[in-house]
Amino acid sequence: MILWTNATFYSMEDCLLTYDKVLTNEGIIVALGNDTLKYSNYQTIDLKGSYVFPGFSESHLHLIGYGRKLFSNNLKLDINKESVLAKIKKFYKNEKLLIEGYVNIGITKDDLDLISSDNIIILRHNDYHSFTVNSKVLEMLNIKNSNGIILDDLVSSKITKVWESNDKVMLTKITDYAIKDLKKLGFTSVHTDDLSYFNSYDETIEILNLLSKTNNFRINTLIHHSVLDSFIKYYPNNKLLNPIQIKVFYDGTLSSKTALISENYKNSNNNGKRYITDKDFLNLLKKARSLSKGLAIHTIGDLAFSEVIKLLSLEKKASEMDRIVHGSLASDDLILELENIAIDIQPHFIKSDKEVIRKNINHQTNIYPFDKYNKKVIINTSSDAPVEDPNPLLNMYELNNISRFDMIKSYTINPYLTINKKGGLIKEGYYADFTCFDKDIMKIEKEELLNTKVLYTIIDEKM
Ligand SMILES: [Zn+2]
């Protein structure tokens, strides 16, 4: 048993309830405040006056992709063509070159071929769905009549395969790096979507299985629908690794004008794309229910959102939580109607998508209406890393039209309500996972969030 002392523990059951000490045993909270006095024979750990919250969860990211971002060459959203090309030239080392943080400023295969046409060069656009490549890549994949700017999702998926081809040793190394980084940011668990993008399901799940143990870190894996059968055959038995919702894409993105919206994109007669038919969606939903699982649906456009809600209502089950990933655009009617569903939001997109939205869509519906959802909706704040920075303090700083209490809930209890596990509260019977800050993030001014540090991350009773 461990008695954790000298700290303010926020239970998160309501915004005022705090304790001065917490007792844990075998990874679970057993007593709070003065109730701990009934016990003896424990080790005491002094938390040095920190402000302690239930362990934070990052509720939507791509763990392995985030690791690669931390390792990769990054253009950091530079939009000056000359300086971008100079940086690419500098990154080039006579071998395959992968670059992130590129904003589509119209660089083509011809520009890249001047740097090399013998080795692969791939610029990954900042929305992580499109690419710019040199002619070597086009030849390799037999893509004809292209200037190297790849916005089409089908072609993009082929390039993703080239991009992701790494051996197990490298994938393990970058994932390990990502986990260590997230723990420093105060995360005790993640909900991650990785299983279908790399060499194989079996290899990827083994990497996550191993690293959750060596790092003592909770990894909840979305199950991409394309690896569902592999998942049914095998999933490791490990208390730190947990299979959650089945991931499926309903539409595309705003930047490639493939998000399904209710009216046409500006200067175009297209309103986006459906990536899955009603029939296939309902079959997948039934299959999910037969496995006692919910769906996690990539949904960006407002039309996509209302269609998905209609389809889900045909097989709604209170015991299995479905989640909308992004939910960027939503009509007023839809917002009123929503209940018993989780939405994984990314406050950073408000800023980073502003220009795309101005250029591509008419402002006739709610864009990122995070503050409008009612209490029957579970809001999870996330980063979609590698797309955005996962630092929770930055997200809290960004999204200040939601109360601080609701904001912290979106990192603690809400992600756990979404996956039906006993975490995210400081309460008897819940996980002994804690995120300890040097300042009281429930009360400090917005600006102070940027000067706040994570002192300790405690997972499964281990610091
Ligand atoms: Zn994502």
Side-chain angles (χ1 to χ4, degrees):
M1 278 196 288
I2 301 176
L3 183 71
W4 307 87
T5 62
N6 190 18
T8 306
F9 295 86
Y10 276 96
S11 86
M12 290 308 292
E13 286 187 81
D14 69 58
C15 58
L16 297 173
L17 183 59
T18 60
Y19 301 100
D20 61 345
K21 42 189 170 295
V22 169
L23 187 72
T24 60
N25 188 33
E26 291 178 359
I28 302 292
I29 296 169
V30 292
L32 304 154
N34 286 340
D35 286 348
T36 61
L37 302 174
K38 293 185 275 190
Y39 295 82
S40 53
N41 282 334
Y42 44 70
Q43 175 198 354
T44 301
I45 296 183
D46 181 329
L47 291 173
K48 309 261 157 61
S50 51
Y51 296 87
V52 181
F53 290 82
F56 271 43
S57 295
E58 161 60 65
S59 54
H60 182 78
L61 90 168
H62 307 269
L63 193 53
I64 301 179
Y66 181 53
R68 187 192 316 285
K69 182 180 193 177
L70 296 174
F71 262 91
S72 76
N73 298 303
N74 202 307
L75 292 166
K76 299 187 174 148
L77 312 183
D78 190 345
I79 49 165
N80 179 305
K81 189 172 170 182
E82 251 169 65
S83 97
V84 166
L85 286 170
K87 281 178 192 164
I88 298 171
K89 221 174 258 169
K90 231 175 149 187
F91 290 145
Y92 181 67
K93 300 276 184 305
N94 259 314
E95 57 184 23
K96 174 177 166 183
L97 177 60
L98 305 179
I99 292 178
E100 303 204 16
Y102 173 66
V103 180
N104 186 10
I105 47 170
I107 286 175
T108 64
K109 67 170 182 192
D110 298 328
D111 299 312
L112 296 179
D113 284 351
L114 291 175
I115 296 164
S116 174
S117 53
D118 303 327
N119 287 307
I120 289 170
I121 301 180
I122 305 178
L123 312 184
R124 193 157 200 173
H125 295 196
N126 202 45
D127 68 357
Y128 280 82
H129 287 260
S130 6
F131 297 91
T132 298
V133 301
N134 67 349
S135 55
K136 178 76 183 176
V137 179
L138 298 175
E139 275 162 32
M140 225 177 76
L141 297 174
N142 201 15
I143 302 165
K144 301 252 156 55
N145 302 322
S146 168
N147 62 359
I149 303 175
I150 310 293
L151 303 175
D152 181 277
D153 289 289
L154 254 174
V155 186
S156 282
S157 67
K158 288 184 196 162
I159 296 171
T160 307
K161 291 274 176 234
V162 180
W163 175 274
E164 303 293 11
S165 62
N166 262 306
D167 63 19
K168 189 176 179 184
V169 176
M170 186 59 183
L171 290 176
T172 306
K173 186 174 150 185
I174 61 178
T175 309
D176 186 56
Y177 198 80
I179 293 171
K180 291 188 162 72
D181 180 86
L182 290 163
K183 284 172 80 171
K184 269 186 222 157
L185 293 173
F187 289 112
T188 60
S189 90
V190 289
H191 302 186
T192 185
D193 173 22
D194 302 285
L195 298 179
S196 75
Y197 307 113
F198 302 93
N199 300 327
S200 70
Y201 166 84
D202 289 320
E203 182 184 293
T204 312
I205 197 68
E206 269 323 320
I207 292 172
L208 299 180
N209 184 29
L210 171 79
L211 293 176
S212 67
K213 293 179 196 162
T214 54
N215 285 294
N216 188 44
F217 190 65
R218 294 188 201 277
I219 301 179
N220 301 288
T221 62
L222 289 170
I223 311 296
H224 193 284
H225 67 95
S226 65
V227 298
L228 194 50
D229 291 332
S230 308
F231 159 72
I232 292 167
K233 271 195 214 118
Y234 173 68
Y235 195 86
N237 184 10
N238 164 2
K239 72 169 180 176
L240 296 170
L241 190 71
N242 174 40
I244 52 172
Q245 285 87 354
I246 295 163
K247 173 86 186 271
V248 59
F249 284 77
Y250 195 81
D251 66 347
T253 66
L254 292 170
S255 52
S256 54
K257 300 189 184 178
T258 47
L260 186 65
I261 59 177
S262 52
E263 48 185 270
N264 287 343
Y265 283 92
K266 267 187 192 167
N267 311 320
S268 112
N269 48 15
N270 140 56
N271 72 332
K273 273 188 194 165
R274 276 177 202 84
Y275 284 15
I276 182 167
T277 63
D278 286 6
K279 194 171 155 234
D280 287 347
F281 188 95
L282 286 170
N283 281 338
L284 185 65
L285 185 57
K286 282 185 189 136
K287 196 163 178 186
R289 297 301 189 238
S290 75
L291 296 164
S292 302
K293 294 225 155 290
L295 293 186
I297 311 119
H298 169 107
T299 308
I300 292 208
D302 54 340
L303 183 56
F305 203 159
S306 52
E307 289 185 5
V308 163
I309 294 299
K310 253 185 221 120
L311 287 166
L312 287 174
S313 71
L314 301 175
E315 291 281 332
K316 201 72 201 164
K317 252 192 169 170
S319 53
E320 283 118 39
M321 185 61 73
D322 299 304
R323 64 202 296 173
I324 300 291
V325 181
H326 309 306
S328 310
L329 272 56
S331 70
D332 282 327
D333 291 348
L334 181 67
I335 290 172
L336 286 176
E337 198 185 296
L338 290 175
E339 57 179 3
N340 200 6
I341 190 146
I343 308 178
D344 304 323
I345 65 165
Q346 295 81 28
H348 282 75
F349 289 174
I350 298 173
K351 211 197 242 169
S352 51
D353 278 356
K354 212 175 190 169
E355 186 54 23
V356 172
I357 285 170
R358 193 189 63 76
K359 255 185 13 207
N360 290 354
I361 70 171
N362 299 304
H363 286 240
Q364 305 230 344
T365 189
N366 298 296
I367 297 163
Y368 300 112
F370 305 149
D371 49 338
K372 289 199 177 176
Y373 293 121
N374 64 45
K375 297 281 173 207
K376 294 179 206 153
V377 175
I378 298 171
I379 295 291
N380 300 315
T381 304
S382 62
S383 67
D384 202 12
V387 180
E388 299 287 354
D389 187 332
N391 185 345
L393 296 166
L394 280 184
N395 262 340
M396 277 187 222
Y397 175 81
E398 210 73 48
L399 196 65
N400 45 64
N401 47 355
I402 294 182
S403 77
R404 199 66 63 74
F405 176 61
D406 284 339
M407 193 68 206
I408 299 171
K409 271 169 73 180
S410 79
Y411 276 109
T412 54
I413 180 63
N414 292 2
Y416 275 103
L417 291 174
T418 307
I419 62 172
N420 218 352
K421 291 264 175 196
K422 276 192 132 181
L425 289 178
I426 297 186
K427 186 176 178 180
E428 290 104 334
Y430 281 69
Y431 289 148
D433 291 2
F434 308 110
T435 304
C436 312
F437 296 94
D438 67 341
K439 297 200 171 94
D440 186 350
I441 60 164
M442 189 72 86
K443 292 184 182 149
I444 54 176
E445 290 295 314
K446 179 187 160 193
E447 302 300 325
E448 275 295 286
L449 288 169
L450 301 178
N451 302 316
T452 299
K453 286 192 182 68
V454 174
L455 293 179
Y456 312 107
T457 304
I458 296 160
I459 303 168
D460 195 31
E461 217 178 351
K462 291 175 204 74
M463 193 189 264

